[in-house]
């Protein structure tokens, strides 16, 4: 990293730590080309920015923690949809690979992009795996998109069971349920995910597809309603309702494997509150469902 970029990063981190609202205003203006209206936020992106700046996000830190959220899920009576946990460590040097099964998943609890799916029969370099995970443990993920609640998460590494097969032929689907204070509203389904493309669609709760609300790109391609209604849809919506109660907005992420529903994660600031893959009208529709709380003191 050049000195200029290093200083730029340090300045951004300082601003996010000490002048959060001002930095959010600058980021929004750079992205949209017009000032954010804090007094009358309308669409879901604007309301996510408002929540990041003016609401109490301490519970977001707990529920965005991929390890400690497990206790929250259990407390809401949804422990049966948790992926079996194989281990947890504070540093990569503590990982006991010999104790793990032939296939397993490793990830950090406080970020995105650190997930590794490992197969002993295919082989892997333990040193490279440890170095990769330790490098992620050191990162403050909250600075990336201004989601500062991530910086309050105590980092660790977890191992989870590898789950065989998804419910979509040739691909596993992610079911991302938009919820507003315990009320599921719609499901954003992603499948066929690679580094270069993902097939997506919005479905309503009756599993009617709505391509007209999406903005398709080279990356986010039209799934053309190819994902059938999951057999566990009612169970998914029940879990989404129970886990999202009390939050003005949250995207509840699930997947189906081995014929069962599993909890993925809770996403409070989808794409940092800068989503551009929905139409303006749909962003406002989602925003209308989000009732903002009073400002934190």
């Amino acid at each position: 990293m050049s000195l200029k970029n290093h200083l730029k990063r340090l300045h951004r981190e300082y601003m996010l730590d000490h002048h959060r609202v001002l930095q959010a205003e600058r980021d929004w203006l750079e992205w949209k080309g017009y000032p954010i209206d804090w007094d009358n936020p309308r669409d879901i992106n604007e309301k996510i920015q408002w929540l990041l700046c003016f609401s109490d996000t301490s519970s977001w830190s707990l529920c965005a923690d991929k390890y400690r959220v497990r206790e929250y899920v259990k407390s809401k009576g949804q422990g049966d949809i948790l992926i079996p946990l194989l281990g947890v460590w504070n540093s990569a040097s503590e990982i006991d690979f010999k104790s793990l099964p032939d296939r397993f998943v490793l990830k950090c609890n406080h970020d995105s992009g650190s997930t590794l799916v490992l197969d002993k029969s295919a082989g892997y370099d333990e040193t490279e795996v440890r170095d990769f995970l330790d490098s992620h443990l050191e990162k403050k993920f909250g600075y990336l998109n201004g989601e500062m609640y991530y910086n309050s998460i105590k980092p660790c590494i977890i191992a989870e069971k590898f789950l065989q097969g998804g419910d979509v032929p040739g691909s596993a689907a992610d079911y991302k349920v938009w919820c507003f204070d315990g009320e599921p509203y719609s499901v954003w389904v992603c499948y066929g995910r690679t580094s270069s493309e993902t097939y997506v669609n919005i479905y309503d709760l009756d599993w009617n597809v709505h391509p007209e609300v999406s903005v398709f790109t080279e990356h986010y391609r039209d799934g053309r309603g190819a994902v059938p209604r999951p057999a566990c849809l009612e169970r998914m919506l029940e879990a989404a309702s129970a886990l999202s109660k009390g939050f003005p907005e949250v995207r509840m992420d699930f997947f189906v494997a081995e014929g069962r529903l599993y909890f993925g994660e809770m996403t409070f600031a989808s794409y940092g509150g800068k989503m551009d893959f929905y139409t303006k009208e749909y962003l406002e529709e989602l925003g209308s469902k989000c009732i903002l709380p009073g400002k934190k003191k």
Side-chain angles (χ1 to χ4, degrees), residues 1-224:
M1 180 184 293
S2 69
L3 178 60
K4 180 180 178 180
N5 287 338
H6 178 65
L7 293 175
K8 186 177 180 180
R9 179 179 64 82
L10 290 179
H11 176 70
R12 175 177 173 77
E13 292 177 1
Y14 172 83
M15 291 296 293
L16 286 169
D17 282 332
H18 302 285
H19 303 284
R20 175 71 185 89
V21 175
L22 179 58
Q23 186 60 49
E25 291 173 348
R26 289 176 175 177
D27 289 345
W28 183 273
L29 183 61
E30 181 179 357
W31 179 51
K32 299 296 288 184
Y34 59 82
I36 190 168
D37 185 351
W38 293 125
D39 295 325
N40 186 36
R42 295 182 59 187
D43 75 24
I44 192 64
N45 283 324
E46 293 169 324
K47 290 196 173 182
I48 287 173
Q49 295 298 328
W50 191 99
L51 290 165
L52 285 168
C53 289
F54 300 116
S55 73
D56 180 1
T57 60
S58 56
S59 58
W60 293 18
S61 298
L62 169 67
C63 293
D65 183 327
K66 294 180 178 67
Y67 172 55
R68 295 171 185 87
V69 70
R70 298 175 67 88
E71 289 304 316
Y72 173 78
V73 173
K74 291 177 184 176
S75 74
K76 298 298 182 179
Q78 308 299 317
D80 61 303
I81 61 174
L82 288 169
I83 303 171
L85 184 69
L86 303 176
V88 57
W89 306 275
N90 291 318
S91 72
S93 63
E94 301 173 0
I95 301 172
D96 180 8
F97 285 97
K98 292 181 180 179
S99 69
L100 295 171
D102 290 340
R103 301 185 76 179
F104 56 94
V105 177
L106 289 176
K107 66 179 73 170
C108 294
N109 66 321
H110 72 304
D111 72 347
S112 178
S114 63
T115 301
L116 296 172
V117 180
L118 300 177
D119 185 338
K120 290 182 177 179
S121 65
Y124 51 83
D125 187 314
E126 289 187 10
T127 300
E128 288 184 0
V129 171
R130 294 184 199 275
D131 288 346
F132 173 82
L133 291 170
D134 274 336
S135 69
H136 276 268
L137 284 177
E138 295 174 0
K139 293 179 179 178
K140 290 284 190 178
F141 185 69
Y143 289 130
L144 182 62
N145 292 311
E147 300 169 76
M148 299 302 286
Y149 59 96
Y150 275 106
N151 288 359
S152 299
I153 298 173
K154 181 181 178 182
C156 66
I157 299 165
I158 61 174
E160 294 177 333
K161 178 184 177 182
F162 173 80
L163 299 172
Q164 295 282 353
D167 56 330
V168 177
S171 172
D174 295 323
Y175 300 91
K176 303 173 183 295
V177 185
W178 278 105
C179 297
F180 303 94
D181 195 8
E183 296 293 332
Y185 184 70
S186 62
V187 188
W188 190 43
V189 182
C190 307
Y191 76 97
R193 187 189 300 274
T194 68
S195 59
S196 60
E197 63 183 19
T198 303
Y199 291 88
V200 300
N201 275 127
I202 284 281
Y203 292 80
D204 63 30
L205 302 189
D206 294 318
W207 214 250
N208 300 304
V209 65
H210 293 276
E212 73 279 2
V213 305
S214 294
V215 176
F216 299 114
T217 66
E218 284 297 308
H219 182 79
Y220 290 114
R221 297 175 178 267
D222 187 354
R224 300 186 182 280

Side-chain angles (χ1 to χ4, degrees), residues 232-245:
C232 59
L233 178 61
E234 294 306 316
R235 177 71 183 93
M236 184 188 301
L237 298 179
E238 173 191 311
S241 176
L243 295 170
S244 65
K245 184 67 176 176

